[in-house]
Amino acid sequence: MSNKKIGLISLTALVLSSMIGSGIFSLPQNMAAVAGAEALITGWLITGIGIIFLGLSFFYISRLRPDLDGGIYTYAREGFGELTGFLSAWGYWLCATIGIVGYLVVAFEGMGMFTDNPNFVLFGQGNTIASVIGSSVVVWLVHILITRGIREAATVNFVATVVKVFPLLLFIVLALWYFSPTTFSQDMPGSSLNNSVIDQVKNSMLITLWVFTGVEGAAVLSSHAKKRTDVGLATVLGIIIALILYVAITVLSLGILPRETIATMSNPSMAGLLEAMIGPSGKIIITICLIVSVLASYVSWTMYCSEVPYRGAKNGAFPQILNKLNANDVPINSLWFTSSVVQLCLFLVLLTGKSYETLLLISTSMILVPYLLIGAYLLKLSLQQNAAWYIKLTGLIATLYAVWILYAAGLQYLLLSVVLYVPGLLLFLYSNYQFHGKFKLNSWEKLILGLILVLFCYALFRLPDLLTG
């Protein structure tokens, strides 16, 4: 039996590993394509403040309500009811599940650098038969690892996190050495983008949100923590480390090559930048780091994916078959559910030929509402308990940041998320009836259901535009 708990260092590594997946390696190109230096710095300032307050929301909720486990789902349910809790859990679970499929796709795309050439394609964009077979092997090896215990999987993740952070630090040190103030100061307003600075900032928001997805990791696994007080601390520490890495890499990149050049680079763009600094070996280093990074992130995200449906099943939001632990305190049926869905998605990737960028777009659209509910719950909880003013302020700022992200994302992403929420509602209604012996919905929840169905009909009408726009 393996029911040992996770300590602060491993919890922090889980948060950091979740955030530092594949996105950081493409971040220079992603940001340069939509923002000049002024907008980039402004965007990171807004995101830095917002994401720190979102992290502090987990920190303070874990202290105001130390009895709550499960993070994303449990907080939304406690604050706003069963249906809202399910919507948060479903959105988060879909975001995480689709996202980790993307991790596998980009990992094997990276392996293609060592095997593929114009006359022979083995892994391609991570969507070939060989890639899907390799990805499937990873899925079930990680499945077996996690069944042996959450702490054991967290230990493996910690070692992999240490390995993948070193090349990032190497990149930053070399970028400081090669940094050119003249190159950095070229077209700082991003005039060649033909967008205002505020539009550039808006366009960068979903990118910056994506690379911070995973901030909730410690809260999701809070029941496995040695000390509940470690949950919030691990979250804040992970955010600070990730923020320093993200800002340093994107800002310093603009001092190595002109923004226009970086914007047209193929991803992972960090590989091209390091190649410009130290030659071909730089591309090899970053590609290997990318592969290690996304596979480590896959471990941590699979643990989150298996935890959320289990928590929901305990309260009737997910089918009761998912409410089961094995001898090592692992939510085994929920893990089987997640691994099977990932395997199905891999087959869909093979059939449709979809790439990592498409999966990222769909995944990011699902996390917007769950993050809004975290800040809103802290604000509500702090008012109910008449907590200190700075806790109320934290909830308010986190909520405002989430609202800003929803605004910056635009109607396209909101409608796309509605399309993906509706299948989950059918699962919720089944689970709700199974758990209570009847449909247990209050008037407010019925109103929300009706509103979602109206938006769903409109989204279906606009679906071709949503997928191509």
Side-chain angles (χ1 to χ4, degrees):
M1 180 177 293
S2 177
N3 54 11
K4 298 175 183 178
K5 300 294 185 177
I6 310 173
L8 175 62
I9 294 177
S10 290
L11 274 176
T12 304
L14 277 168
V15 175
L16 191 59
S17 179
S18 303
M19 291 187 286
I20 300 178
S22 58
I24 191 170
F25 300 97
S26 303
L27 200 51
Q29 185 278 330
N30 293 162
M31 293 293 279
V34 299
E38 287 185 11
L40 186 148
I41 294 171
T42 304
W44 279 124
L45 181 63
I46 294 172
T47 298
I49 293 172
I51 210 72
I52 285 173
F53 276 94
L54 180 63
L56 286 172
S57 296
F58 286 102
F59 180 87
Y60 288 129
I61 292 173
S62 69
R63 279 158 170 72
L64 294 175
R65 290 294 305 273
D67 55 306
L68 297 181
D69 290 322
I72 289 283
Y73 163 69
T74 309
Y75 296 164
R77 174 181 174 271
E78 283 294 313
F80 308 102
E82 292 285 353
L83 177 60
T84 305
F86 170 80
L87 291 174
S88 181
W90 178 255
Y92 179 76
W93 181 81
L94 263 187
C95 167
T97 304
I98 297 171
I100 61 178
V101 174
Y103 282 158
L104 295 171
V105 169
V106 79
F108 280 87
E109 182 179 5
M111 291 180 188
M113 174 189 164
F114 305 104
T115 61
D116 295 5
N117 59 59
N119 300 316
F120 175 74
V121 175
L122 181 63
F123 295 120
Q125 291 185 298
N127 51 13
T128 63
I129 292 177
S131 294
V132 170
I133 292 173
S135 297
S136 300
V137 171
V138 172
V139 169
W140 297 107
L141 286 177
V142 171
H143 177 96
I144 293 170
L145 171 65
I146 294 175
T147 60
R148 297 173 64 86
I150 295 295
R151 184 176 181 272
E152 283 71 13
T155 301
V156 171
N157 176 79
F158 171 74
V159 174
T161 301
V162 172
V163 170
K164 73 182 182 181
V165 165
F166 270 113
L168 302 179
L169 297 177
L170 171 65
F171 180 92
I172 292 171
V173 170
L174 289 171
L176 284 168
W177 178 260
Y178 285 94
F179 185 84
S180 168
T182 303
T183 302
F184 180 78
S185 60
Q186 292 178 4
D187 193 22
M188 289 188 66
S191 303
S192 57
L193 289 166
N194 297 317
N195 271 336
S196 66
V197 172
I198 187 64
D199 284 336
Q200 293 174 40
V201 171
K202 284 174 58 181
N203 291 337
S204 71
M205 284 294 99
L206 276 184
I207 299 170
T208 56
L209 176 65
W210 168 249
V211 294
F212 275 109
T213 304
V215 61
E216 67 290 326
V220 172
L221 296 177
S222 57
S223 65
H224 301 279
K226 283 183 179 179
K227 296 192 299 182
R228 296 300 174 88
T229 53
D230 286 346
V231 171
L233 184 57
T235 302
V236 175
L237 287 174
I239 288 173
I240 292 173
I241 296 170
L243 182 61
I244 292 171
L245 292 172
Y246 293 154
V247 174
I249 287 170
T250 51
V251 172
L252 292 174
S253 294
L254 295 177
I256 299 170
L257 294 173
R259 184 200 63 77
E260 294 86 349
T261 303
I262 299 173
T264 59
M265 296 178 76
S266 59
N267 282 315
S269 50
M270 274 184 66
L273 285 160
L274 197 58
E275 185 177 24
M277 289 187 281
I278 64 174
S281 60
K283 188 172 185 179
I284 295 174
I285 291 171
I286 292 299
T287 303
I288 293 173
C289 181
L290 167 67
I291 294 168
V292 173
S293 178
V294 295
L295 293 180
S297 295
Y298 180 80
V299 175
S300 55
W301 274 105
T302 302
M303 287 190 281
Y304 305 159
C305 289
S306 62
E307 189 75 16
V308 171
Y310 165 70
R311 293 288 162 190
K314 291 177 71 68
N315 295 288
F318 281 80
Q320 287 303 291
I321 193 174
L322 302 179
N323 182 17
K324 181 182 178 182
L325 297 174
N326 70 2
N328 296 322
D329 279 344
V330 174
I332 188 63
N333 287 348
S334 184
L335 178 60
W336 274 104
F337 177 50
T338 296
S339 298
S340 300
V341 170
V342 170
Q343 183 68 74
L344 174 63
C345 288
L346 285 172
F347 287 135
L348 292 176
V349 166
L350 177 63
L351 293 174
T352 62
K354 293 301 182 183
S355 64
Y356 169 71
E357 287 76 14
T358 305
L359 294 169
L360 184 152
L361 181 151
I362 298 171
S363 178
T364 308
S365 69
M366 299 302 297
I367 200 65
L368 302 177
V369 171
Y371 280 174
L372 171 63
L373 292 171
I374 293 300
Y377 178 52
L378 176 62
L379 183 59
K380 178 181 179 180
L381 186 62
S382 62
L383 292 172
Q384 287 177 336
Q385 297 191 9
N386 195 25
W389 66 269
Y390 53 84
I391 298 180
K392 297 174 184 174
L393 181 64
T394 298
L396 176 62
I397 294 178
T399 303
L400 292 175
Y401 170 67
V403 171
W404 160 255
I405 289 291
L406 285 168
Y407 165 71
L411 185 62
Q412 173 190 353
Y413 286 92
L414 292 179
L415 290 177
L416 185 59
S417 66
V418 168
V419 172
L420 296 173
Y421 270 112
V422 167
L425 288 177
L426 298 177
L427 183 67
F428 169 77
L429 291 173
Y430 166 78
S431 304
N432 182 272
Y433 186 87
Q434 180 190 44
F435 189 77
H436 298 288
K438 61 179 181 178
F439 291 118
K440 188 177 180 182
L441 298 168
N442 58 37
S443 299
W444 174 248
E445 290 172 333
K446 292 176 183 177
L447 180 63
I448 292 176
L449 279 176
L451 178 62
I452 292 175
L453 289 176
V454 170
L455 289 174
F456 175 69
C457 293
Y458 178 66
L460 283 183
F461 176 73
R462 291 277 312 278
L463 191 57
D465 296 332
L466 297 179
L467 293 175
T468 59

